[in-house]
Amino acid sequence: MTEWQWIFSALSAVVLFLFGLSGFSHELMTAGGERLRAWLGRATANRYGAALLGAGFTAFIQSSSAVTSLAIALVDAGVLGFRGALAVLLGANVGTTATAWLVSLKLTALGPVTLTLGALVSAAAPARWKPAGKVLFYFGFVLFALDLIGVALAPLRNTPAVLDVLAQAGNPWVGVMAGIVITAVLQSSSVTTGLAVVLVQQQVLTPEAAVYLVVGSNVGTTVTGLIASLSMGSLARHTAVINTGFKLAGALMFAPVLVLFAQTVVEHSPTPDMAVAVAHLVFNVVSSALFLILLPAYAPRLERWALPSTR
């Protein structure tokens, strides 16, 4: 395989992954319909329940960007309360760590089976089961695309020029900024996280550098919500800005100990790729739990800032 062939193979695998994520989210929303939106609004009255819902929903649909955009849209529609939305967004930070675990635990191998089963259900099952079959198909598609990314990126370990560039991510600030930019461009932290774990598995990227990338991806993923809120009311726009503030505050909170944090997790994890998943989970759980516990203290001030222009 020539250099250009594997470059386009890798890009094609990433495009397929993005397509799979988009299709999976869309089919799940279609299957749930308005009942899902109404139930989501009722289930977020308690901040801890809202956070758990955000985490579970994000882990299930494999897209914190989709959950963030949905929460902002529900705020704009008046279905979801302002404080409930903040709790959902904090929970989504934890749920987005599922991608790293799927890759590190080699669960991507289930992709072809799930994809095929979903296709069969969509084609041959009774009409009431077809939406579920489509959801299953796209979930398998996501796993299959992640596996393709791993295969496509394998030649990188023998490419000195690429290794030199990736080595720069070993600098914490460069790694974090790279994670922000890549995620903002691709509009998906799941892609950045999945790529980081795969590159560690291929021994192209050090696990410490991968940790810096995924920390940055948490900030970069807020771009989707900011863009989605531009066509909505001021309350939705303020909610999107606050979500960005959460992510930035979390990254800044870890900044003084980021190198030590990455080294400690790598040292105590069973495998290098699992270290990335563990670090991603710990980072998001700690920062989200802290903000969630303190939510009653700072939410009134944020609410006063966000609400006046909507009256």
Side-chain angles (χ1 to χ4, degrees):
M1 184 181 290
T2 67
E3 182 177 335
W4 282 108
Q5 284 177 318
W6 68 252
I7 288 175
F8 279 104
S9 294
L11 290 174
S12 298
V14 172
V15 169
L16 287 175
F17 181 49
L18 286 168
F19 176 77
L21 281 176
S22 176
F24 182 50
S25 299
H26 173 74
E27 292 300 334
L28 190 64
M29 296 300 180
T30 301
E34 290 303 317
R35 287 183 300 174
L36 177 62
R37 291 174 178 265
W39 176 80
L40 184 61
R42 291 193 302 270
T44 53
N46 177 278
R47 70 179 187 275
Y48 295 108
L52 287 173
L53 182 66
F57 200 39
T58 303
F60 188 60
I61 71 171
Q62 287 292 291
S63 177
S64 62
S65 297
V67 173
T68 299
S69 299
L70 175 61
I72 291 170
L74 291 175
V75 168
D76 188 58
V79 175
L80 188 59
F82 177 71
R83 299 190 190 191
L86 296 184
V88 168
L89 296 174
L90 289 172
N93 294 344
V94 178
T96 195
T97 63
T99 302
W101 288 102
L102 285 173
V103 181
S104 64
L105 294 175
K106 308 295 192 298
L107 296 179
T108 52
L110 297 175
V113 177
T114 310
L115 188 153
T116 303
L117 182 60
L120 291 174
V121 172
S122 298
R128 67 178 183 275
W129 291 105
K130 289 185 183 297
K134 290 181 180 180
V135 171
L136 193 61
F137 170 83
Y138 277 108
F139 182 64
F141 196 107
V142 168
L143 296 178
F144 186 61
L146 278 170
D147 218 18
L148 285 179
I149 290 173
V151 174
L153 293 180
L156 288 179
R157 71 176 73 181
N158 300 317
T159 308
V162 175
L163 293 177
D164 290 341
V165 172
L166 291 174
Q168 301 301 315
N171 180 299
W173 295 111
V174 174
V176 170
M177 288 304 301
I180 292 174
V181 172
I182 292 170
T183 305
V185 171
L186 296 178
Q187 294 285 289
S188 174
S189 60
S190 296
V191 174
T192 306
T193 303
L195 284 172
V197 177
V198 168
L199 288 171
V200 171
Q201 290 175 339
Q202 301 290 355
Q203 298 180 345
V204 173
L205 192 66
T206 65
E208 290 86 356
V211 170
Y212 307 147
L213 282 174
V214 298
V215 169
S217 73
N218 285 316
V219 180
T221 193
T222 63
V223 172
T224 303
L226 290 170
I227 293 173
S229 70
L230 291 177
S231 61
M232 302 178 190
S234 60
L235 180 57
R237 293 196 298 272
H238 285 142
T239 303
V241 171
I242 291 168
N243 183 47
T244 302
F246 281 151
K247 301 293 184 76
L248 283 171
L252 291 173
M253 183 174 65
F254 270 79
V257 295
L258 187 56
V259 174
L260 179 62
F261 169 66
Q263 292 173 345
T264 302
V265 173
V266 171
E267 183 180 345
H268 292 90
S269 296
T271 60
D273 56 342
M274 194 172 291
V276 182
V278 171
H280 196 204
L281 179 63
V282 171
F283 170 79
N284 281 288
V285 167
V286 170
S287 56
S288 295
L290 179 62
F291 293 137
L292 187 64
I293 292 170
L294 297 176
L295 185 60
Y298 63 76
R301 295 183 179 179
L302 294 178
E303 204 164 14
R304 285 195 296 271
W305 172 72
L307 288 175
S309 59
T310 66
R311 291 172 182 167

